[in-house]
Amino acid sequence: MKPRHLFLIISILFHCPAMLTAQEGQGKNSVVQFGITAHKARILIHNKDLQVVDNSYPNGIEAEVAWQGMGQESWNKCHCFPKLGFSLRFWDYDAPDILGYGLGGLFFIEPEYNSFGRISFGVRAGFGLTYMSNPFDAENNTDNQAYSTALNFDLVLAAKAGIRLSKQSRLNASASFNHNSNGGVKSPNRGLNYPSLSIGYSRYVRPVQFVRFGKKDWDVSDRKMRFDLGPFFSWKQVAGDVHRYSGGVELKYSRQFGRINALTFGAEYLHDTFEVYLLEQEGKTGNPNKMSLAIGHEFLLGKLLFSQQLGVYAYKPNDVGADLYQRYGLTYVIGKKIAAGVNLKVHGHVAQLVDYRIVYTLFGN
């Protein structure tokens, strides 16, 4: 993956934390929190090619900074106090000769409930990039079938609980699911999946007291809806010095059903030159045209949209790969009608492609 292809991703990841303070009156109703967390994980063997790293138990250390809303405006979004943050993570994958080590940055969102109580609860969703030190090499590291590029995507989903020690400090525990892959830009790319248990300590920059605001029913008259048209392209190094570009377009309908939640329905056309290339290597002829339908969810976080979709191919002329897929995306709203984003498309446990898109809102509010 080349640097020019990462510009949009990195821009989104590093600018997201500032959005919360901007929306909360330049930080008057938000507070900065620093934390450190230790992880213990277990690599899941989801493919026979990964058996060589069975019984590997990665260790991780994570340092983070988060901006947490604590005012009425934040509370009204979800009857909680949401966080946006960025963390730096280091992983020892417990197989140094094969998997090596990982160092990466992660952007996360975390709605936190009962922040005013002694015990709080939250759910964290994160998306980032990780440098991994020992990718597949045809001469020196053929056992690593999990990843073949040094730079890889990082997805995290975690359930968290915190115990308030004082008005400034907290002890945290979490259970997480972690995934790394290169988005299918180069093979082999089986990906790493490793659930982890974690314990950590966090501290606010000042003593804070969260207020239990009254619950107010969400006003349905404020419901947002959009019809978006999103052309996209994707790039892969399919073999050696052979590169292929694919593209497509998605038409998506989004309808808000809660303060920060929206339901989406999408229809997509994909011109898949990657799959055709693989078929040609087997002496077969492939049809690059695919069509699919997807249902999904969006977190509505001001100018930032964090989306998840489950899709099924309605037209898939080549009998290759799975019929179902998942997609995870970050989109930044540039203007009233224009947005830009990056998406990771996954077939089961294996990432198929990363796409970069410009989204135009045909109509909506």
Side-chain angles (χ1 to χ4, degrees):
M1 187 177 297
K2 296 183 179 180
R4 66 176 181 272
H5 296 139
L6 299 174
F7 176 77
L8 178 60
I9 306 170
I10 294 172
S11 296
I12 291 175
L13 292 179
F14 281 88
H15 284 86
C16 284
M19 295 176 192
L20 182 59
T21 54
Q23 294 172 4
E24 290 288 339
Q26 301 301 325
K28 294 180 181 179
N29 293 314
S30 64
V31 64
V32 177
Q33 182 185 58
F34 294 93
I36 189 165
T37 302
H39 300 270
K40 186 66 176 181
R42 168 77 157 89
I43 290 181
L44 298 181
I45 306 303
H46 60 270
N47 186 282
K48 61 181 178 60
D49 292 335
L50 300 178
Q51 286 291 341
V52 68
V53 294
D54 197 7
N55 297 317
S56 292
Y57 295 86
N59 297 292
I61 188 75
E62 179 175 18
E64 67 181 54
V65 57
W67 287 255
Q68 183 168 12
M70 53 185 298
Q72 180 81 58
E73 184 178 348
S74 290
W75 172 262
N76 289 342
K77 293 176 180 177
C78 57
H79 289 162
C80 68
F81 294 106
K83 297 178 185 178
L84 290 177
F86 183 80
S87 70
L88 187 66
R89 293 160 39 108
F90 174 79
W91 283 97
D92 174 353
Y93 295 114
D94 196 29
D97 295 335
I98 301 173
L99 298 178
Y101 305 92
L103 177 65
L106 185 80
F107 161 72
F108 62 83
I109 60 173
E110 183 183 324
E112 184 179 89
Y113 296 86
N114 203 45
S115 302
F116 38 75
R118 181 66 186 275
I119 299 177
S120 59
F121 305 92
V123 177
R124 175 175 294 191
F127 185 84
L129 296 168
T130 295
Y131 171 82
M132 302 172 77
S133 66
N134 201 21
F136 170 86
D137 184 272
E139 295 181 0
N140 301 314
N141 191 18
T142 58
D143 286 335
N144 187 354
Q145 297 292 307
Y147 67 94
S148 57
T149 57
L151 200 59
N152 294 271
F153 288 94
D154 198 355
L155 292 173
V156 175
L157 182 64
K160 299 191 63 181
I163 300 176
R164 179 67 68 89
L165 302 177
S166 71
K167 288 186 177 181
Q168 266 190 278
S169 61
R170 180 179 299 178
L171 185 67
N172 305 299
S174 61
S176 308
F177 182 82
N178 308 273
H179 171 80
N180 291 111
S181 76
N182 64 26
V185 300
K186 187 177 180 181
S187 295
N189 180 50
R190 300 298 183 186
L192 280 182
N193 297 316
Y194 45 109
S196 65
L197 296 176
S198 315
I199 188 166
Y201 173 82
S202 59
R203 187 173 180 84
Y204 295 106
V205 294
R206 66 176 189 273
V208 294
Q209 183 65 52
F210 290 93
V211 177
R212 186 199 297 263
F213 295 103
K215 292 187 177 181
K216 180 182 178 181
D217 291 338
W218 177 59
D219 190 347
V220 179
S221 64
D222 293 332
R223 187 197 310 268
K224 306 292 185 182
M225 58 81 64
R226 307 185 322 272
F227 268 104
D228 291 339
L229 184 69
F232 59 85
F233 80 96
S234 181
W235 163 85
K236 272 189 185 183
Q237 182 180 359
V238 291
D241 294 329
V242 181
H243 301 79
R244 289 289 184 272
Y245 293 85
S246 290
V249 63
E250 181 186 32
L251 181 65
K252 184 163 71 175
Y253 171 71
S254 172
R255 186 171 180 83
Q256 187 177 4
F257 66 88
R259 288 174 174 81
I260 60 170
N261 300 283
L263 184 66
T264 66
F265 299 92
E268 176 183 288
Y269 165 75
L270 171 64
H271 188 78
D272 191 348
T273 64
F274 311 140
E275 187 173 276
V276 170
Y277 175 83
L278 296 177
L279 289 171
E280 289 173 349
Q281 303 316 295
E282 301 175 0
K284 301 177 182 178
T285 300
N287 183 340
N289 300 304
K290 292 181 177 179
M291 297 188 69
S292 60
L293 301 172
I295 186 171
H297 170 267
E298 285 180 335
F299 285 111
L300 307 175
L301 303 168
K303 288 184 174 294
L304 180 71
L305 308 177
F306 179 48
S307 60
Q308 316 87 46
Q309 289 178 296
L310 177 64
V312 58
Y313 290 105
Y315 176 69
K316 187 168 77 82
N318 308 314
D319 189 18
V320 178
D323 294 327
L324 296 175
Y325 64 84
Q326 311 100 261
R327 180 186 284 113
Y328 307 92
L330 279 175
T331 302
Y332 181 75
V333 179
I334 300 171
K336 188 173 182 180
K337 294 287 187 180
I338 297 291
V342 58
N343 288 259
L344 175 64
K345 189 176 185 180
V346 181
H347 286 172
H349 296 287
V350 180
Q352 187 211 15
L353 59 84
V354 176
D355 74 62
Y356 311 90
R357 59 181 64 197
I358 296 295
V359 180
Y360 178 76
T361 299
L362 299 174
F363 57 87
N365 60 339

